[in-house]
Structures are given as structure tokens and as C-alpha cells.
Amino acid sequence: MDATTYADRATSASSAVRSRTSASRKTKVRPGAETKTINLALQGGGAHGAFTWGVLDRLLEDGRLSFEGISATSAGAMNAVVLAYGLTEGGRQGARKALEGFWRRVSHAAAAGPLQPTWLDRLAGNRALENSPAFLAFDLISRLLSPYQFNPLNRNPLREVLEQSVDFARLRSAECPVKLFLSATNVRTGKVKVFENDVICPERVLASSCLPFLFQAVEIDGEHYWDGGYMGNPAIFPLIYGCDSRDLLIIHINPLERPELPITAFEIMNRVNEISFNSSLMREMRAISFVTKLIDDNPAAMKTLKRLFVHAIAADEVMSRLGAASKLNGDWDFLVYLRDEGRKHAGTWLTQNFGHLGRESTVDIRKDYL
């Protein structure tokens, strides 16, 4: 559904999947440990989604958090469906195993393709592919030809990876412990489309991650869709209307700031995309900040308005050092590096902020997003 009709249908949608939240509490945690339920917002960013893998792996390992809802886009959508499927099949350990299996398949698919880092790319330390002849040729072709011309059969290796990693029928069943909200951009209307559990399938996940310069638009029910990052990276409103938990944890992939001026064509295009993909999130943060101020100024507003506690895990100091083309780098060593960075940042976040969950935000929305 799109944003204009979401609020009207939120009550019925929430009650239809409310049983998933209680099911998520069946996973084992450390004896005597306090558990808290939160919602997740997962950004997209190609191979950089392995950072989110690491964050999720550490949160699952900790065992004190359960997830009510996940709003996600692109690579975030892939992490979301794999996480939800793993929880459905085998609880927290099942989710950790499923995520690792998915990213290993991504690496295997990338290893079979032409886009490989050269020794010069490894020496540069930015993990990009800018010295790869195949990447340079592909970059040129994608600027001159559309995916309808250079990929007329519309082949996408991620389709097979998804189908091997997730039993989507399980996500559509009442057994799935997580409410999923995957964003895509309607090409015709320019509006965000949110796909929920009852319709989740490989096609809709690919719609959420369809970069228009690389893949043909994904057709679903007569409409065509591009990457959800253009209109929601990720969308926050489904978590507000469709979930009970007031704690929102945003896992950032795209840096909000970059200290250095982009000067190459690919760097400029990448920064334009980062700004574009972050803009929808920043608009929603403004709205959340506005509502929070209304509540603070008028406590009686708490009866009609929902206060959100906003949290974030980011690694701008890591992501801003990576070359723009590294989002296409599926080399296993690189993915493991990002996973380990994600685990490290998540561990730090848990130590510093777990006690604040359910009580207050741990980010300053006005300072960090406005």
C-alpha cells in the first residue's frame, strides 16, 4: 500500500499480524536477562548491506532484544526477509545461520561474475572496483545503454540467491514472528509502495532493490517499481502505524555526511544517490521531531500522539572511506570486513544504550538529522 492510504488500513493490518510479535518472544535468551522489543529500520546500499548483517548478528547473539517490525529497503529488504525467515525456522541461532548463508551465496554469485577487485583495488584500501577492466566497461555501458538494451533477458543473479535462502511461504504465514514492511518506488506515480508479509515474494524484494540504471523495472500487478530508496530508505511511517513498540533502531549504511568533495564521475553520482536516498528518511525525522516537540510542550497530547524513542547505529567513519564502486564488490573478505565492523558498532551501541530503551531516545534528532 502507499503512504496516502496506509494510516487508514493500519489498525486492521496490525491486528492481522499481531500474533507474530508474541511468537518472536519464544526464542531463547540468557536466563534472567531483561528483554526488550524494538522495531528496526534497515537502509539499502548494495554490498554495504553486509554491515547491517554484522549489526543484526550481534543483536541476535546478545539475546536481549526481540523485533516486532522491520521496515527495509533494497539490501536492507534482503537482510529483513532472511532474518525473519531464520527466526521462523530456528529462532535467533536460525536467523544468524540464515544471514551468513545468504551473504555467502551473494559472494559465490559475485565470484562467478566479471566484477572482481584487482590487486590495485586491494592496495588502495577503499575496496572499490575502479581498476577493474570489467567494471570500467560496465560503467561506460550503463551510461550509454539502458538495462532494457544491455540486459534484454533481465537476468538478476540475486533472484536465485533469494530463492535459495528464503522460503517465502513461511514469511506469508502466521508463524512468521516479525512484521515486514518493504519499500519500493512506483515508477508511474512516484509514490512509495509498502509490501507487507501477506504478499512478500522474491519479486517484491527485487522491486525494493531495483536500481533503474542496472535492472529493468519490476512489474507487479500491472505497476512498475524501482528501488525503494528514492521514496523511503527506509520508510518509518509503517512502524509508527503498524507496530506497538515505541523504540526505533535505524541501521545506517549511507553516510549522512562526507568530509571530502567527490570529484570523479562515479563518486559524484554516488553522493547524489546518497543524498537522494537519505532525503526521505530526513523528512520523516523532521515529522517525528515535530510530534515530539508537540508532546513535550503539551503533555495532554500524549493521549492522541505516539512518542517514538529513536536510536541509530552508524559507521560513517568506515563507510565514507570506502570507494563508491565498493557497493558492487561481493568479495567474501570485504563482506566479512563489513560484518565485523557491524558487529563491533552494535556491541558498542548495546553497552551504551540498552538501558535507555523504552525510556528515551539516544540520538538528538534535531542535531543529527535536521
Side-chain angles (χ1 to χ4, degrees):
M1 63 186 71
D2 59 42
T4 58
T5 61
Y6 192 91
D8 295 334
R9 297 177 58 183
T11 302
S12 59
S14 178
S15 60
V17 293
R18 193 173 301 277
S19 61
R20 299 184 179 117
T21 305
S22 60
S24 68
R25 300 192 179 105
K26 295 179 181 178
T27 53
K28 295 181 179 179
V29 297
R30 296 194 305 268
E34 180 184 13
T35 59
K36 299 182 179 182
T37 302
I38 66 173
N39 294 317
L40 296 173
L42 311 183
Q43 284 195 321
H48 292 183
F51 173 82
T52 301
W53 164 31
V55 171
L56 296 175
D57 186 70
R58 183 65 181 85
L59 298 182
L60 290 164
E61 179 185 69
D62 182 83
R64 291 177 293 169
L65 295 176
S66 63
F67 312 121
E68 180 184 5
I70 306 177
S71 182
T73 295
S74 198
M78 297 187 185
N79 276 317
V81 297
V82 175
L83 169 65
Y85 172 65
L87 287 172
T88 305
E89 290 293 290
R92 298 175 191 276
Q93 290 305 314
R96 295 182 68 192
K97 182 179 178 180
L99 284 164
E100 180 175 359
F102 168 77
W103 284 100
R104 281 192 179 276
R105 291 185 183 97
V106 168
S107 180
H108 292 159
L115 299 181
Q116 304 297 325
T118 66
W119 67 272
L120 287 173
D121 294 317
R122 298 179 188 277
L123 188 64
N126 65 358
R127 311 286 180 150
L129 304 170
E130 294 166 355
N131 295 293
S132 166
F135 169 76
L136 295 174
F138 177 75
D139 185 42
L140 177 62
I141 291 172
S142 64
R143 293 173 190 272
L144 299 176
L145 301 175
S146 81
Y148 296 87
Q149 296 170 309
F150 68 75
N151 186 14
L153 298 179
N154 198 25
R155 291 182 176 175
N156 187 337
L158 289 175
R159 181 188 302 276
E160 183 177 352
V161 171
L162 281 170
E163 291 174 346
Q164 292 174 346
S165 303
V166 177
D167 179 354
F168 284 87
R170 298 281 282 163
L171 299 185
R172 296 190 294 268
S173 74
E175 297 177 9
C176 181
V178 181
K179 303 173 187 177
L180 294 172
F181 307 96
L182 309 185
S183 297
T185 301
N186 187 305
V187 179
R188 181 180 61 84
T189 66
K191 296 179 180 179
V192 64
K193 177 74 172 181
V194 178
F195 300 115
E196 299 188 32
N197 294 67
D198 58 338
V199 296
I200 296 296
C201 64
E203 206 71 12
R204 286 171 170 80
V205 179
L206 292 175
S208 178
S209 58
C210 178
L211 292 172
F213 299 107
L214 299 182
F215 302 108
Q216 298 179 22
V218 178
E219 183 178 359
I220 298 173
D221 297 333
E223 294 284 358
H224 292 82
Y225 296 95
W226 283 339
D227 194 295
Y230 294 107
M231 295 305 297
N233 193 27
I236 304 300
F237 69 87
L239 299 173
I240 298 175
Y241 294 119
C243 297
D244 295 326
S245 175
R246 293 192 295 168
D247 283 292
L248 167 66
L249 174 57
I250 305 171
I251 302 178
H252 288 276
I253 291 180
N254 299 308
L256 291 173
E257 298 182 2
R258 279 191 178 269
E260 298 180 358
L261 180 71
I263 56 175
T264 69
F266 201 84
E267 287 174 345
I268 293 171
M269 181 181 296
N270 179 70
R271 187 54 181 158
V272 168
N273 284 333
E274 285 179 343
I275 293 172
S276 174
F277 281 16
N278 282 327
S279 64
S280 58
L281 175 63
M282 296 176 75
R283 285 195 300 270
E284 290 197 271
M285 288 297 105
R286 290 190 185 96
I288 292 172
S289 177
F290 176 73
V291 171
T292 300
K293 188 175 187 304
L294 284 179
I295 294 173
D296 290 340
D297 293 344
N298 180 18
M302 280 290 289
K303 298 179 181 179
T304 57
L305 299 176
K306 181 178 181 179
R307 177 190 288 275
L308 283 188
F309 302 132
V310 182
H311 318 276
I313 297 178
D316 283 10
E317 79 286 357
V318 174
M319 297 303 184
S320 62
R321 293 198 305 266
L322 300 176
S326 65
K327 291 181 179 180
L328 300 175
N329 183 0
D331 181 73
W332 179 245
D333 288 342
F334 178 49
L335 299 181
V336 168
Y337 163 76
L338 289 173
R339 179 204 63 189
D340 291 346
E341 288 292 335
R343 283 183 53 82
K344 180 176 70 175
H345 282 76
T348 300
W349 181 84
L350 283 166
T351 299
Q352 297 177 349
N353 299 302
F354 180 82
H356 297 284
L357 293 175
R359 300 176 182 176
E360 60 185 351
S361 295
T362 55
V363 299
D364 186 333
I365 296 177
R366 300 188 65 84
K367 176 183 177 182
D368 296 338
Y369 293 98
L370 307 187

PDB file of all heavy atoms in Angstrom, residues 53 99-108 329-339:
ATOM      1  N   TRP A  53      24.224  -6.857   8.214  1.00  0.00           N
ATOM      2  CA  TRP A  53      24.332  -8.262   8.613  1.00  0.00           C
ATOM      3  C   TRP A  53      25.080  -8.374   9.932  1.00  0.00           C
ATOM      4  O   TRP A  53      24.638  -9.064  10.858  1.00  0.00           O
ATOM      5  CB  TRP A  53      25.028  -9.057   7.512  1.00  0.00           C
ATOM      6  CG  TRP A  53      25.538 -10.410   7.915  1.00  0.00           C
ATOM      7  CD1 TRP A  53      25.007 -11.252   8.852  1.00  0.00           C
ATOM      8  CD2 TRP A  53      26.703 -11.076   7.405  1.00  0.00           C
ATOM      9  NE1 TRP A  53      25.761 -12.410   8.955  1.00  0.00           N
ATOM     10  CE2 TRP A  53      26.804 -12.319   8.078  1.00  0.00           C
ATOM     11  CE3 TRP A  53      27.648 -10.746   6.428  1.00  0.00           C
ATOM     12  CZ2 TRP A  53      27.840 -13.221   7.804  1.00  0.00           C
ATOM     13  CZ3 TRP A  53      28.678 -11.648   6.152  1.00  0.00           C
ATOM     14  CH2 TRP A  53      28.767 -12.871   6.840  1.00  0.00           C
ATOM     15  N   LEU A  99      21.386 -15.636   7.838  1.00  0.00           N
ATOM     16  CA  LEU A  99      22.062 -14.431   7.344  1.00  0.00           C
ATOM     17  C   LEU A  99      23.442 -14.758   6.788  1.00  0.00           C
ATOM     18  O   LEU A  99      23.833 -14.268   5.727  1.00  0.00           O
ATOM     19  CB  LEU A  99      22.166 -13.393   8.461  1.00  0.00           C
ATOM     20  CG  LEU A  99      20.876 -12.640   8.791  1.00  0.00           C
ATOM     21  CD1 LEU A  99      20.991 -11.931  10.136  1.00  0.00           C
ATOM     22  CD2 LEU A  99      20.545 -11.638   7.687  1.00  0.00           C
ATOM     23  N   GLU A 100      24.189 -15.581   7.502  1.00  0.00           N
ATOM     24  CA  GLU A 100      25.514 -15.956   6.994  1.00  0.00           C
ATOM     25  C   GLU A 100      25.390 -16.727   5.685  1.00  0.00           C
ATOM     26  O   GLU A 100      26.152 -16.485   4.738  1.00  0.00           O
ATOM     27  CB  GLU A 100      26.268 -16.795   8.018  1.00  0.00           C
ATOM     28  CG  GLU A 100      27.653 -17.209   7.513  1.00  0.00           C
ATOM     29  CD  GLU A 100      28.480 -17.946   8.552  1.00  0.00           C
ATOM     30  OE1 GLU A 100      27.998 -18.133   9.679  1.00  0.00           O
ATOM     31  OE2 GLU A 100      29.628 -18.327   8.213  1.00  0.00           O
ATOM     32  N   GLY A 101      24.431 -17.633   5.611  1.00  0.00           N
ATOM     33  CA  GLY A 101      24.234 -18.401   4.387  1.00  0.00           C
ATOM     34  C   GLY A 101      23.875 -17.507   3.215  1.00  0.00           C
ATOM     35  O   GLY A 101      24.352 -17.717   2.091  1.00  0.00           O
ATOM     36  N   PHE A 102      23.016 -16.519   3.463  1.00  0.00           N
ATOM     37  CA  PHE A 102      22.631 -15.593   2.391  1.00  0.00           C
ATOM     38  C   PHE A 102      23.835 -14.836   1.858  1.00  0.00           C
ATOM     39  O   PHE A 102      24.047 -14.760   0.639  1.00  0.00           O
ATOM     40  CB  PHE A 102      21.585 -14.605   2.909  1.00  0.00           C
ATOM     41  CG  PHE A 102      21.336 -13.453   1.969  1.00  0.00           C
ATOM     42  CD1 PHE A 102      20.568 -13.629   0.829  1.00  0.00           C
ATOM     43  CD2 PHE A 102      21.882 -12.198   2.225  1.00  0.00           C
ATOM     44  CE1 PHE A 102      20.346 -12.567  -0.041  1.00  0.00           C
ATOM     45  CE2 PHE A 102      21.661 -11.136   1.364  1.00  0.00           C
ATOM     46  CZ  PHE A 102      20.890 -11.327   0.223  1.00  0.00           C
ATOM     47  N   TRP A 103      24.645 -14.266   2.738  1.00  0.00           N
ATOM     48  CA  TRP A 103      25.781 -13.470   2.284  1.00  0.00           C
ATOM     49  C   TRP A 103      26.871 -14.330   1.652  1.00  0.00           C
ATOM     50  O   TRP A 103      27.603 -13.870   0.770  1.00  0.00           O
ATOM     51  CB  TRP A 103      26.320 -12.606   3.424  1.00  0.00           C
ATOM     52  CG  TRP A 103      25.423 -11.428   3.670  1.00  0.00           C
ATOM     53  CD1 TRP A 103      24.469 -11.289   4.644  1.00  0.00           C
ATOM     54  CD2 TRP A 103      25.335 -10.256   2.860  1.00  0.00           C
ATOM     55  NE1 TRP A 103      23.818 -10.102   4.497  1.00  0.00           N
ATOM     56  CE2 TRP A 103      24.327  -9.441   3.416  1.00  0.00           C
ATOM     57  CE3 TRP A 103      26.030  -9.808   1.739  1.00  0.00           C
ATOM     58  CZ2 TRP A 103      23.989  -8.198   2.866  1.00  0.00           C
ATOM     59  CZ3 TRP A 103      25.701  -8.566   1.188  1.00  0.00           C
ATOM     60  CH2 TRP A 103      24.696  -7.780   1.759  1.00  0.00           C
ATOM     61  N   ARG A 104      26.986 -15.575   2.070  1.00  0.00           N
ATOM     62  CA  ARG A 104      27.912 -16.486   1.381  1.00  0.00           C
ATOM     63  C   ARG A 104      27.432 -16.732  -0.048  1.00  0.00           C
ATOM     64  O   ARG A 104      28.247 -16.777  -0.982  1.00  0.00           O
ATOM     65  CB  ARG A 104      28.025 -17.808   2.138  1.00  0.00           C
ATOM     66  CG  ARG A 104      28.926 -17.746   3.356  1.00  0.00           C
ATOM     67  CD  ARG A 104      29.239 -19.123   3.893  1.00  0.00           C
ATOM     68  NE  ARG A 104      30.117 -19.069   5.051  1.00  0.00           N
ATOM     69  CZ  ARG A 104      31.457 -18.986   4.984  1.00  0.00           C
ATOM     70  NH1 ARG A 104      32.037 -18.952   3.791  1.00  0.00           N
ATOM     71  NH2 ARG A 104      32.179 -18.942   6.083  1.00  0.00           N
ATOM     72  N   ARG A 105      26.135 -16.888  -0.235  1.00  0.00           N
ATOM     73  CA  ARG A 105      25.601 -17.078  -1.584  1.00  0.00           C
ATOM     74  C   ARG A 105      25.804 -15.821  -2.430  1.00  0.00           C
ATOM     75  O   ARG A 105      26.074 -15.910  -3.630  1.00  0.00           O
ATOM     76  CB  ARG A 105      24.125 -17.442  -1.502  1.00  0.00           C
ATOM     77  CG  ARG A 105      23.861 -18.824  -0.911  1.00  0.00           C
ATOM     78  CD  ARG A 105      22.391 -19.190  -0.972  1.00  0.00           C
ATOM     79  NE  ARG A 105      22.140 -20.478  -0.348  1.00  0.00           N
ATOM     80  CZ  ARG A 105      21.711 -20.617   0.911  1.00  0.00           C
ATOM     81  NH1 ARG A 105      21.457 -19.536   1.645  1.00  0.00           N
ATOM     82  NH2 ARG A 105      21.520 -21.819   1.414  1.00  0.00           N
ATOM     83  N   VAL A 106      25.665 -14.662  -1.825  1.00  0.00           N
ATOM     84  CA  VAL A 106      25.934 -13.414  -2.544  1.00  0.00           C
ATOM     85  C   VAL A 106      27.377 -13.400  -3.026  1.00  0.00           C
ATOM     86  O   VAL A 106      27.670 -13.048  -4.175  1.00  0.00           O
ATOM     87  CB  VAL A 106      25.668 -12.190  -1.635  1.00  0.00           C
ATOM     88  CG1 VAL A 106      26.213 -10.915  -2.266  1.00  0.00           C
ATOM     89  CG2 VAL A 106      24.171 -12.034  -1.373  1.00  0.00           C
ATOM     90  N   SER A 107      28.304 -13.787  -2.147  1.00  0.00           N
ATOM     91  CA  SER A 107      29.715 -13.815  -2.500  1.00  0.00           C
ATOM     92  C   SER A 107      29.988 -14.822  -3.608  1.00  0.00           C
ATOM     93  O   SER A 107      30.761 -14.554  -4.546  1.00  0.00           O
ATOM     94  CB  SER A 107      30.560 -14.132  -1.270  1.00  0.00           C
ATOM     95  OG  SER A 107      31.932 -14.173  -1.590  1.00  0.00           O
ATOM     96  N   HIS A 108      29.369 -15.996  -3.522  1.00  0.00           N
ATOM     97  CA  HIS A 108      29.563 -17.020  -4.555  1.00  0.00           C
ATOM     98  C   HIS A 108      29.038 -16.529  -5.902  1.00  0.00           C
ATOM     99  O   HIS A 108      29.671 -16.756  -6.947  1.00  0.00           O
ATOM    100  CB  HIS A 108      28.857 -18.315  -4.158  1.00  0.00           C
ATOM    101  CG  HIS A 108      29.477 -18.989  -2.976  1.00  0.00           C
ATOM    102  ND1 HIS A 108      28.798 -19.909  -2.200  1.00  0.00           N
ATOM    103  CD2 HIS A 108      30.722 -18.876  -2.432  1.00  0.00           C
ATOM    104  CE1 HIS A 108      29.593 -20.322  -1.230  1.00  0.00           C
ATOM    105  NE2 HIS A 108      30.757 -19.715  -1.346  1.00  0.00           N
ATOM    106  N   ASN A 329      31.036  -4.700  -4.841  1.00  0.00           N
ATOM    107  CA  ASN A 329      32.107  -5.644  -4.531  1.00  0.00           C
ATOM    108  C   ASN A 329      31.577  -6.754  -3.629  1.00  0.00           C
ATOM    109  O   ASN A 329      31.323  -6.544  -2.441  1.00  0.00           O
ATOM    110  CB  ASN A 329      33.260  -4.910  -3.848  1.00  0.00           C
ATOM    111  CG  ASN A 329      34.453  -5.822  -3.570  1.00  0.00           C
ATOM    112  OD1 ASN A 329      34.430  -7.007  -3.876  1.00  0.00           O
ATOM    113  ND2 ASN A 329      35.504  -5.260  -3.000  1.00  0.00           N
ATOM    114  N   GLY A 330      31.392  -7.942  -4.183  1.00  0.00           N
ATOM    115  CA  GLY A 330      30.897  -9.067  -3.411  1.00  0.00           C
ATOM    116  C   GLY A 330      31.980  -9.993  -2.912  1.00  0.00           C
ATOM    117  O   GLY A 330      31.690 -11.131  -2.509  1.00  0.00           O
ATOM    118  N   ASP A 331      33.230  -9.550  -2.927  1.00  0.00           N
ATOM    119  CA  ASP A 331      34.340 -10.366  -2.448  1.00  0.00           C
ATOM    120  C   ASP A 331      34.119 -10.745  -0.982  1.00  0.00           C
ATOM    121  O   ASP A 331      33.775  -9.896  -0.148  1.00  0.00           O
ATOM    122  CB  ASP A 331      35.650  -9.584  -2.606  1.00  0.00           C
ATOM    123  CG  ASP A 331      36.859 -10.372  -2.155  1.00  0.00           C
ATOM    124  OD1 ASP A 331      37.251 -11.307  -2.866  1.00  0.00           O
ATOM    125  OD2 ASP A 331      37.420 -10.042  -1.081  1.00  0.00           O
ATOM    126  N   TRP A 332      34.292 -12.025  -0.652  1.00  0.00           N
ATOM    127  CA  TRP A 332      33.973 -12.519   0.677  1.00  0.00           C
ATOM    128  C   TRP A 332      34.763 -11.811   1.767  1.00  0.00           C
ATOM    129  O   TRP A 332      34.232 -11.485   2.837  1.00  0.00           O
ATOM    130  CB  TRP A 332      34.186 -14.026   0.753  1.00  0.00           C
ATOM    131  CG  TRP A 332      33.904 -14.614   2.101  1.00  0.00           C
ATOM    132  CD1 TRP A 332      34.779 -15.201   2.955  1.00  0.00           C
ATOM    133  CD2 TRP A 332      32.624 -14.667   2.763  1.00  0.00           C
ATOM    134  NE1 TRP A 332      34.145 -15.614   4.104  1.00  0.00           N
ATOM    135  CE2 TRP A 332      32.817 -15.310   4.003  1.00  0.00           C
ATOM    136  CE3 TRP A 332      31.343 -14.235   2.429  1.00  0.00           C
ATOM    137  CZ2 TRP A 332      31.782 -15.519   4.913  1.00  0.00           C
ATOM    138  CZ3 TRP A 332      30.309 -14.451   3.334  1.00  0.00           C
ATOM    139  CH2 TRP A 332      30.535 -15.076   4.550  1.00  0.00           C
ATOM    140  N   ASP A 333      36.042 -11.557   1.526  1.00  0.00           N
ATOM    141  CA  ASP A 333      36.862 -10.875   2.530  1.00  0.00           C
ATOM    142  C   ASP A 333      36.296  -9.494   2.842  1.00  0.00           C
ATOM    143  O   ASP A 333      36.309  -9.048   4.000  1.00  0.00           O
ATOM    144  CB  ASP A 333      38.303 -10.748   2.047  1.00  0.00           C
ATOM    145  CG  ASP A 333      39.042 -12.073   2.040  1.00  0.00           C
ATOM    146  OD1 ASP A 333      38.563 -13.015   2.714  1.00  0.00           O
ATOM    147  OD2 ASP A 333      40.078 -12.182   1.365  1.00  0.00           O
ATOM    148  N   PHE A 334      35.801  -8.811   1.822  1.00  0.00           N
ATOM    149  CA  PHE A 334      35.207  -7.485   2.025  1.00  0.00           C
ATOM    150  C   PHE A 334      33.904  -7.587   2.816  1.00  0.00           C
ATOM    151  O   PHE A 334      33.652  -6.799   3.738  1.00  0.00           O
ATOM    152  CB  PHE A 334      34.959  -6.828   0.669  1.00  0.00           C
ATOM    153  CG  PHE A 334      34.299  -5.469   0.756  1.00  0.00           C
ATOM    154  CD1 PHE A 334      34.784  -4.491   1.609  1.00  0.00           C
ATOM    155  CD2 PHE A 334      33.197  -5.175  -0.031  1.00  0.00           C
ATOM    156  CE1 PHE A 334      34.180  -3.244   1.687  1.00  0.00           C
ATOM    157  CE2 PHE A 334      32.595  -3.924   0.027  1.00  0.00           C
ATOM    158  CZ  PHE A 334      33.082  -2.963   0.893  1.00  0.00           C
ATOM    159  N   LEU A 335      33.080  -8.557   2.484  1.00  0.00           N
ATOM    160  CA  LEU A 335      31.815  -8.732   3.195  1.00  0.00           C
ATOM    161  C   LEU A 335      32.061  -9.063   4.663  1.00  0.00           C
ATOM    162  O   LEU A 335      31.358  -8.569   5.549  1.00  0.00           O
ATOM    163  CB  LEU A 335      30.984  -9.832   2.535  1.00  0.00           C
ATOM    164  CG  LEU A 335      30.578  -9.595   1.071  1.00  0.00           C
ATOM    165  CD1 LEU A 335      29.740 -10.765   0.566  1.00  0.00           C
ATOM    166  CD2 LEU A 335      29.817  -8.284   0.909  1.00  0.00           C
ATOM    167  N   VAL A 336      33.055  -9.895   4.932  1.00  0.00           N
ATOM    168  CA  VAL A 336      33.381 -10.254   6.311  1.00  0.00           C
ATOM    169  C   VAL A 336      33.911  -9.027   7.063  1.00  0.00           C
ATOM    170  O   VAL A 336      33.599  -8.825   8.244  1.00  0.00           O
ATOM    171  CB  VAL A 336      34.412 -11.396   6.343  1.00  0.00           C
ATOM    172  CG1 VAL A 336      34.982 -11.591   7.753  1.00  0.00           C
ATOM    173  CG2 VAL A 336      33.773 -12.690   5.861  1.00  0.00           C
ATOM    174  N   TYR A 337      34.704  -8.199   6.372  1.00  0.00           N
ATOM    175  CA  TYR A 337      35.194  -6.952   6.984  1.00  0.00           C
ATOM    176  C   TYR A 337      34.023  -6.067   7.417  1.00  0.00           C
ATOM    177  O   TYR A 337      33.990  -5.561   8.545  1.00  0.00           O
ATOM    178  CB  TYR A 337      36.078  -6.214   5.982  1.00  0.00           C
ATOM    179  CG  TYR A 337      36.313  -4.762   6.322  1.00  0.00           C
ATOM    180  CD1 TYR A 337      37.193  -4.390   7.338  1.00  0.00           C
ATOM    181  CD2 TYR A 337      35.656  -3.747   5.616  1.00  0.00           C
ATOM    182  CE1 TYR A 337      37.401  -3.047   7.645  1.00  0.00           C
ATOM    183  CE2 TYR A 337      35.864  -2.416   5.912  1.00  0.00           C
ATOM    184  CZ  TYR A 337      36.730  -2.073   6.935  1.00  0.00           C
ATOM    185  OH  TYR A 337      36.934  -0.758   7.238  1.00  0.00           O
ATOM    186  N   LEU A 338      33.034  -5.906   6.527  1.00  0.00           N
ATOM    187  CA  LEU A 338      31.869  -5.091   6.870  1.00  0.00           C
ATOM    188  C   LEU A 338      31.052  -5.736   7.988  1.00  0.00           C
ATOM    189  O   LEU A 338      30.558  -5.046   8.884  1.00  0.00           O
ATOM    190  CB  LEU A 338      30.996  -4.898   5.634  1.00  0.00           C
ATOM    191  CG  LEU A 338      31.555  -3.978   4.549  1.00  0.00           C
ATOM    192  CD1 LEU A 338      30.659  -4.005   3.310  1.00  0.00           C
ATOM    193  CD2 LEU A 338      31.688  -2.546   5.063  1.00  0.00           C
ATOM    194  N   ARG A 339      30.908  -7.066   7.933  1.00  0.00           N
ATOM    195  CA  ARG A 339      30.198  -7.765   9.012  1.00  0.00           C
ATOM    196  C   ARG A 339      30.851  -7.502  10.353  1.00  0.00           C
ATOM    197  O   ARG A 339      30.176  -7.202  11.347  1.00  0.00           O
ATOM    198  CB  ARG A 339      30.168  -9.266   8.737  1.00  0.00           C
ATOM    199  CG  ARG A 339      29.474 -10.083   9.817  1.00  0.00           C
ATOM    200  CD  ARG A 339      29.947 -11.527   9.831  1.00  0.00           C
ATOM    201  NE  ARG A 339      31.365 -11.630  10.157  1.00  0.00           N
ATOM    202  CZ  ARG A 339      32.077 -12.746  10.073  1.00  0.00           C
ATOM    203  NH1 ARG A 339      31.506 -13.855   9.642  1.00  0.00           N
ATOM    204  NH2 ARG A 339      33.359 -12.759  10.399  1.00  0.00           N
TER     205      ARG A 339
END
